[in-house]
Amino acid sequence: MDQSKFKFIQKDAKIYDQKIQGKPVSSMKDVFRRFTKNKTNLVASSILLILVLCSIFMPSLTGKEYIKLNEKLAFLPPRVPGLENLGIMDGTVLVEEKAIDPTLFNEETGLYLPAGYNPKAIELDTLTNSIVFSTEKSEIVTKGQSVMRLDYGSKEMSIESNDYFIFTKANNPIIELEVTEIQNNATLEILAQTKFMEYEVVGTITQAGTHKFDLYKIKPELFGDIFSKLRFRLVGDGNTSAAIIEKVSLFDSSKDEAILAHDGYALSMYKIVDGKGGSYTRQNGEMTVATFRYNRYIAAFDLTHEIAFSSAEYDKLLKEWGDNVTQIPNPENPDGWFFSEGFPIREVVRKNDIVTIGDEEFYSYEVYLDYKAYLGYNELPYFWFGTSAAGRDLFSLVWVGLRTSLFIGIITTLINVSIGITYGAIAGYYGGTVDLLMQRFAELMGRMPWLVVLSIVVVLFDPGIGTIILTIIISGWVGAQSVTRMQFYRYKGREYVLASRTMGAKDRRLIFRHILPNGIGTIITSSVLAIPAVIFLEATLSYLGYGVGHGQSFNIFGFHFSGVSIGVLLADARAFLQMYPYLTIFPSIIISLLMITFNMFGNALRDAFNPSLRGVED
């Protein structure tokens, strides 16, 4: 290229050093800037922080009981203020097809109320009555037939009425039997007690239909009135014969209608008196049932009848109220008394008998108790997640369980990381034969069968918090040592390490001042990502019954750690999954959020500590 095309620039100008634009950024400041730049990870980290804070403070802030057993509050459904007005999580449950009580008729709706339920807690606008088929031998079941059935190989069985039939010869009594079906060539015989303690066949039926038997025409030798139960004998050939009976009636000339009639429930209550290998059942009965929504909170906190209310608890309540409560005599019950308005005990029916054990006397009271006031509530309480099978607040239990799971996860991870860093640093720094031997040992520990280790530890130490931590750390440190070892191989040959060694730095200084700080970002990231894995493993072990459990508790730095973890809550809810799914849903949601946010937090740390991104703006 021609030299004339080139020219000097700034040939005669004085060139000075220019001031650096911008401010110096430290390594940690650069890490923090990149960490906060990803908004998604920032939100996840905020959620994680909220979960951790809730696990620490929420159980004490709720004011609900999560330690003591209270069976009266068992399985209360979730109830949340605001949402209850929308018909969501309002403390009610749908109760379907429950038998009605014939004595409880609601005039407002024109419907029958169900038996065994508190009428105050039934939402009348949801109440419906319907008819369902039933085979129950119950008074509320009407119509239907009764079935005499012989088992295979059985040839005879008999049933007998509970009531006596009076056969008056002057009134020409007639036995009427309505038979719906005769199966497999069976024969149904009607028997009456014509002599003392002696039953005689007075009729035979071989086909379905309405059959009438004039007792004194069939047995003209009978000369007087007969007072007898009726018996029916089914005779077959051993091929599961059966007779289906609709109704048994007794007519005579004294009345136009039957003087005695048995059908439905009365007929089903006949008892088997003779023969083996047969059954007497009911079919096609009709039962009136009620379907409705039931407010479990009103039912649980309403006035309750306590047969044996502790005298110690009784005296404790009187002492707490002092002069604010007045005892009022009951004119209709000299053994009992009332209390003034507001006191948890509304009425004392009587004082129960005194029991003396040694030199001490023990007694109780039969009382009517305002359970809401007794537990210290002015209004119906809200249990946001419902209550457990033991009547404990599930919302508090979830946070207590999360606290335990987090504690185990963090403590176990710290132990694993401490062991792993020390082990991996030695192996990576010295290398050679030392590294070879140490890695073979690490591989041996890492490949030990997990179930075998778990079984041995549980047998030696029994299930518990210590057992689960020991099980996890036996091989949990292997991953941390592998990451540390790789970082040492990466940095131990760098120029600044060689320069420091040349200047006489000892191995300890080289490891902890020059090599480890440069690889700490990767180690921290892998450690944080290990925490959710440990928590999930703990939940799995506790769910299977090998981890923490009820009855175990300890205190650290003023915080109470109980034998409840997320895994324990899920294990407890396993038996009630179909009837009470919320016992599983809420702990599952919390642990899922914890897993997702922990992993996103770990990913954010990984990107923030990535040295290749240091100084990158976008």
Side-chain angles (χ1 to χ4, degrees):
M1 185 176 291
D2 188 3
Q3 293 184 0
S4 62
K5 295 183 178 181
F6 294 89
K7 66 177 180 178
F8 287 101
I9 62 173
Q10 299 178 337
K11 182 178 179 181
D12 300 323
K14 293 183 180 180
I15 302 175
Y16 299 95
D17 292 336
Q18 294 184 0
K19 187 177 181 180
I20 297 175
Q21 301 296 320
K23 295 181 180 180
V25 178
S26 66
S27 175
M28 291 307 299
K29 187 174 182 180
D30 184 61
V31 167
F32 181 75
R33 184 177 61 188
R34 277 184 279 119
F35 179 83
T36 56
K37 180 172 284 189
N38 190 322
K39 301 303 180 183
T40 303
N41 290 338
L42 194 60
V43 171
S45 302
S46 301
I47 295 174
L48 177 60
L49 179 61
I50 292 172
L51 290 175
V52 173
L53 292 176
C54 285
S55 70
I56 297 173
F57 301 109
M58 193 60 73
S60 58
L61 294 177
T62 60
K64 301 293 195 308
E65 181 59 60
Y66 61 90
I67 298 177
K68 294 182 180 178
L69 175 70
N70 191 337
E71 294 180 353
K72 293 182 182 297
L73 303 184
F75 300 121
L76 290 182
R79 183 168 182 254
V80 180
L83 292 180
E84 63 176 344
N85 299 326
L86 303 175
I88 304 171
M89 301 177 75
D90 57 357
T92 65
V93 293
L94 178 64
V95 182
E96 298 182 290
E97 297 186 351
K98 294 299 180 182
I100 58 99
D101 185 343
T103 63
L104 297 177
F105 181 76
N106 183 265
E107 296 182 356
E108 179 183 345
T109 60
L111 299 170
Y112 288 97
L113 300 180
Y117 288 84
N118 188 339
K120 298 178 184 177
I122 298 173
E123 296 189 350
L124 296 178
D125 57 338
T126 65
L127 178 66
T128 60
N129 287 165
S130 58
I131 303 294
V132 297
F133 289 109
S134 175
T135 58
E136 293 184 23
K137 293 184 177 182
S138 172
E139 289 184 274
I140 62 174
V141 179
T142 60
K143 301 182 181 179
Q145 302 91 32
S146 294
V147 183
M148 297 178 66
R149 188 179 303 278
L150 294 171
D151 295 338
Y152 184 80
S154 182
K155 295 185 177 181
E156 183 178 308
M157 70 170 291
S158 300
I159 61 172
E160 180 182 77
S161 65
N162 294 307
D163 298 327
Y164 281 90
F165 287 72
I166 301 175
F167 302 95
T168 305
K169 185 174 183 178
N171 294 335
N172 300 317
I174 295 175
I175 302 171
E176 183 178 286
L177 196 65
E178 296 180 23
V179 179
T180 304
E181 187 178 355
I182 298 288
Q183 299 176 358
N184 294 335
N185 301 317
T187 300
L188 183 62
E189 298 176 344
I190 299 92
L191 298 88
Q193 188 176 350
T194 57
K195 298 178 182 178
F196 180 71
M197 299 297 293
E198 183 179 330
Y199 281 84
E200 186 177 0
V201 177
V202 296
T204 301
I205 299 174
T206 58
Q207 60 184 3
T210 301
H211 303 271
K212 297 182 179 181
F213 302 94
D214 190 328
L215 180 60
Y216 288 95
K217 284 186 178 181
I218 296 172
K219 296 290 183 181
E221 66 273 16
L222 298 176
F223 59 87
D225 298 341
I226 297 176
F227 185 69
S228 170
K229 293 183 178 182
L230 276 183
R231 284 189 179 181
F232 301 98
R233 182 165 61 201
L234 181 65
V235 181
D237 56 6
N239 293 320
T240 61
S241 303
I244 302 176
I245 307 171
E246 182 85 25
K247 189 175 183 180
V248 177
S249 305
L250 177 61
F251 293 87
D252 65 15
S253 58
S254 65
K255 290 184 179 180
D256 293 334
E257 66 275 4
I259 61 173
L260 189 63
H262 286 167
D263 60 356
Y265 171 71
L267 182 59
S268 72
M269 294 307 294
Y270 283 25
K271 56 186 178 182
I272 298 176
V273 293
D274 189 19
K276 296 181 180 180
S279 62
Y280 184 58
T281 58
R282 191 175 184 181
Q283 70 175 23
N284 298 329
E286 295 183 359
M287 179 170 63
T288 303
V289 295
T291 298
F292 53 96
R293 293 204 69 86
Y294 192 64
N295 194 314
R296 291 289 308 280
Y297 284 76
I298 294 177
F301 292 96
D302 196 18
L303 200 66
T304 62
H305 186 196
E306 301 289 335
I307 301 297
F309 189 75
S310 165
S311 60
E313 192 67 21
Y314 177 87
D315 295 337
K316 179 182 176 182
L317 285 174
L318 287 179
K319 184 177 179 180
E320 288 177 355
W321 282 68
D323 297 334
N324 297 322
V325 61
T326 305
Q327 187 172 311
I328 305 171
N330 185 350
E332 299 180 358
N333 178 17
D335 295 330
W337 55 91
F338 298 105
F339 283 101
S340 54
E341 187 69 25
F343 191 63
I345 300 176
R346 294 292 183 84
E347 177 186 354
V348 175
V349 179
R350 65 188 179 93
K351 180 179 178 180
N352 295 322
D353 296 336
I354 298 175
V355 177
T356 303
I357 300 177
D359 297 332
E360 294 189 63
E361 293 184 345
F362 299 91
Y363 56 93
S364 59
Y365 296 91
E366 181 180 351
V367 304
Y368 283 95
L369 185 68
D370 183 348
Y371 210 64
K372 180 177 65 178
Y374 175 65
L375 294 180
Y377 297 113
N378 295 322
E379 303 292 338
L380 287 178
Y382 291 93
F383 290 97
W384 287 18
F385 289 177
T387 60
S388 67
R392 301 184 178 105
D393 177 30
L394 185 60
F395 183 76
S396 299
L397 282 177
V398 165
W399 300 120
V400 170
L402 182 61
R403 177 194 298 174
T404 305
S405 296
L406 281 170
F407 171 78
I408 294 175
I410 293 173
I411 289 297
T412 306
T413 302
L414 287 176
I415 295 174
N416 284 335
V417 169
S418 300
I419 298 173
I421 288 178
T422 305
Y423 194 93
I426 296 172
Y429 180 78
Y430 290 104
T433 304
V434 174
D435 181 36
L436 181 65
L437 293 176
M438 293 182 72
Q439 288 309 299
R440 298 296 79 77
F441 177 76
E443 290 176 3
L444 178 65
M445 296 299 295
R447 293 180 181 179
M448 290 179 63
W450 181 72
L451 286 177
V452 174
V453 174
L454 174 63
S455 302
I456 293 173
V457 174
V458 168
V459 169
L460 292 176
F461 302 103
D462 295 328
I465 294 176
T467 300
I468 196 171
I469 292 177
L470 179 60
T471 302
I472 295 173
I473 66 175
I474 284 178
S475 59
W477 56 270
V478 175
Q481 73 85 27
S482 178
V483 173
T484 305
R485 174 177 172 270
M486 293 302 297
Q487 295 304 307
F488 268 74
Y489 268 106
R490 179 181 180 183
Y491 290 107
K492 73 176 184 178
R494 296 292 175 91
E495 291 80 1
Y496 58 86
V497 177
L498 297 176
S500 183
R501 180 182 289 116
T502 303
M503 295 176 67
K506 295 182 179 180
D507 291 345
R508 184 173 60 182
R509 181 177 180 85
L510 293 174
I511 291 174
F512 293 105
R513 291 295 301 273
H514 297 290
I515 302 176
L516 186 59
N518 285 281
I520 198 66
T522 304
I523 297 172
I524 290 175
T525 300
S526 63
S527 302
V528 170
L529 290 173
I531 294 176
V534 172
I535 292 174
F536 192 77
L537 179 59
E538 179 277 324
T540 303
L541 292 177
S542 298
Y543 180 80
L544 297 175
Y546 294 107
V548 297
H550 295 292
Q552 304 175 20
S553 62
F554 56 95
N555 294 293
I556 295 179
F557 302 124
F559 294 105
H560 179 74
F561 295 89
S562 68
V564 177
S565 70
I566 297 295
V568 172
L569 292 178
L570 292 174
D572 291 343
R574 178 172 46 190
F576 311 106
L577 182 58
Q578 289 186 332
M579 294 183 64
Y580 309 104
Y582 63 88
L583 294 176
T584 300
I585 291 174
F586 291 116
S588 299
I589 291 174
I590 295 300
I591 196 171
S592 298
L593 281 174
L594 188 67
M595 294 297 101
I596 294 170
T597 53
F598 243 124
N599 279 287
M600 294 183 72
F601 176 69
N603 292 333
L605 286 180
R606 180 195 60 198
D607 295 340
F609 279 106
N610 188 348
S612 64
L613 298 177
R614 193 165 294 170
V616 176
E617 295 295 330
D618 297 320

